[in-house]
Amino acid sequence: MRELLPDLENWLKAGEQVALATVISTWGSAPRSAGSAMAVSASGGLVGSVSGGCVEGAVIQAAQEVMRTQRPQRLHFGVADETAWEVGLACGGQIDVFVQTVDAALFGALVERLKAEQSSLLATVIGGTEERLGLQELADKKGRWLQGTQELVPDTKRQAAAKPEIVQRNGDEIFLNPLTASPTLVLIGGVQIAVALAKIARTLNFRTVIIDPRKAFGSVERFAHADQLIQAWPQKAFEQVQLTAATAVASLSHDPKIDDPALKAALASEAFYVGALGSKKTAATRRQRLLQSGVNEKALERLHAPIGLEINAETPEEIALAIMAQVIAAYRG
């Protein structure tokens, strides 16, 4: 949904009519997962994707019809359909897509929450009586109602939803789409690898935080593309950065005075990934320092050192790619 933000916000502010197409279920080799979305404006604007190109043409046509009739549509594409070859799903994938007009008030609230990195749950009626199709409800991560019908799902279910799913309630078929805060990559040390890594991470919709007490390394000029830049020692910087289960930490400074305190804090946190730059020899020496500082063996098992996948990387950009690939593997695994 975040990839839609700039265009969706502009269209809503301009008072344009917008249709939203959301993948609600998939089978087999479908190219995009449930929750993937595409928005179409009445003026012909297009952003996002529901299939990586396979069925977009058919979905755009349906979106235009939905805006004209104000009636939601549920579309199915797959090998059993005579249109399967035409839409590019002959390899065996199947997807269901729900298309509806956008409620400006509800999506205005959702856009603001996404921009503020606040987790939300969007519930949509995708099956049932015609008059209820497309009804929506927006809640926060604690299940508190924010916008919409205030009747679709109980608080307990709102809080339990961890991934997109379809549930049945009072005769309605409801698609629950949890929209969590963006994952965050915290980079310790404003070295050249960090410059490249922050750019790659941003492309992959990670928030990026740069921590370096050395002003020459952690400068605004070097990291204009970062979301947050903190020119402080890690102990102080972590007072401003919450290390959650959606946080990855990459320690890159090559300076034990900077790296070691950062790693000690990261390994004691819920961060889903912790890695440190350096050779195997450097990693072994660092391990001993961390053990002596009070980090236990079990915590050290979480540390990826040397950092990154082994792809024979040489340049800063290649090393950054190897690191980000390992971060993604941990995030998805």
Side-chain angles (χ1 to χ4, degrees), residues 56 67 77-78 85 124-125 152 154 161-162 239 256 266 275 285 300 304 306:
E56 265 67 8
M67 286 187 284
F77 303 97
W85 289 90
T124 306
V125 176
L152 297 184
E239 295 177 4
T285 303
L300 279 172
H304 296 271

Side-chain angles (χ1 to χ4, degrees), residues 254 259 277-289 305:
H254 255 315
D259 285 340
L277 188 67
S279 65
K280 291 181 179 180
K281 182 178 179 180
T282 298
T285 303
R286 180 194 299 116
R287 178 184 178 86
Q288 289 304 312
R289 289 199 309 269

Side-chain angles (χ1 to χ4, degrees), residues 55-312:
V55 304
E56 265 67 8
V59 174
I60 291 170
Q61 185 175 354
Q64 293 169 339
E65 186 175 348
V66 165
M67 286 187 284
R68 181 176 58 82
T69 64
Q70 296 298 299
R71 293 179 180 175
Q73 292 187 24
R74 184 169 177 170
L75 312 175
H76 176 79
F77 303 97
V79 293
D81 303 329
E82 59 184 20
T83 58
W85 289 90
E86 298 175 15
V87 299
L89 289 171
C91 57
Q94 299 181 58
I95 62 173
D96 275 9
V97 179
F98 190 75
V99 187
Q100 67 191 114
T101 54
V102 166
D103 180 300
L106 186 145
F107 270 81
L110 177 58
V111 165
E112 290 306 311
R113 291 187 63 80
L114 289 173
K115 286 169 61 180
E117 294 295 342
Q118 296 174 315
S119 297
S120 306
L121 177 70
L122 181 62
T124 306
V125 176
I126 59 171
T129 59
E130 184 175 345
E131 61 269 19
R132 290 186 62 79
L133 281 181
L135 288 179
Q136 290 187 304
E137 176 178 322
L138 181 66
D140 67 13
K141 68 177 181 179
K142 294 183 178 180
R144 294 174 297 200
W145 178 82
L146 298 172
Q147 195 85 30
T149 63
Q150 201 175 358
E151 60 168 310
L152 297 184
V153 286
D155 290 352
T156 53
K157 190 61 181 178
R158 291 175 186 152
Q159 296 178 61
K163 61 182 180 179
E165 62 176 315
I166 296 174
V167 300
Q168 306 289 332
R169 178 170 167 80
N170 298 332
D172 290 331
E173 191 175 9
I174 301 169
F175 178 64
L176 300 181
N177 191 11
L179 302 166
T180 59
S182 296
T184 299
L185 177 60
V186 178
L187 302 175
I188 310 299
V191 297
Q192 191 60 33
I193 293 171
V195 175
L197 184 53
K199 291 178 180 177
I200 295 174
R202 188 175 180 86
T203 300
L204 296 173
N205 296 316
F206 275 67
R207 289 187 68 252
T208 54
V209 179
I210 314 300
I211 296 174
D212 199 319
R214 304 166 298 183
K215 293 183 179 181
F217 285 86
S219 66
V220 175
E221 291 75 21
R222 286 169 62 78
F223 291 99
H225 53 292
D227 293 289
Q228 188 175 2
L229 179 61
I230 305 176
Q231 294 178 331
W233 292 92
Q235 301 95 314
K236 191 69 176 177
F238 284 152
E239 295 177 4
Q240 303 177 48
V241 180
Q242 187 177 6
L243 301 181
T244 70
T247 306
V249 179
S251 202
L252 310 171
S253 81
H254 255 315
D255 185 339
K257 296 191 301 295
I258 299 174
D259 285 340
D260 287 8
L263 291 171
K264 188 174 181 179
L267 290 171
S269 75
E270 293 182 300
F272 72 85
Y273 174 92
V274 183
L277 188 67
S279 65
K280 291 181 179 180
K281 182 178 179 180
T282 298
T285 303
R286 180 194 299 116
R287 178 184 178 86
Q288 289 304 312
R289 289 199 309 269
L290 291 173
L291 284 170
Q292 292 169 8
S293 71
V295 179
N296 60 48
E297 291 275 1
K298 187 175 181 180
L300 279 172
E301 290 176 4
R302 301 180 54 214
L303 180 61
H304 296 271
I307 197 171
L309 297 183
E310 181 51 66
I311 60 171
N312 296 321

Side-chain angles (χ1 to χ4, degrees), residues 23 30-32 36 38 49-56 59 87 89 95 97:
V23 177
R32 297 211 69 188
S36 300
M38 178 175 76
S49 170
V50 292
S51 74
C54 296
V55 304
E56 265 67 8
V59 174
V87 299
L89 289 171
I95 62 173
V97 179

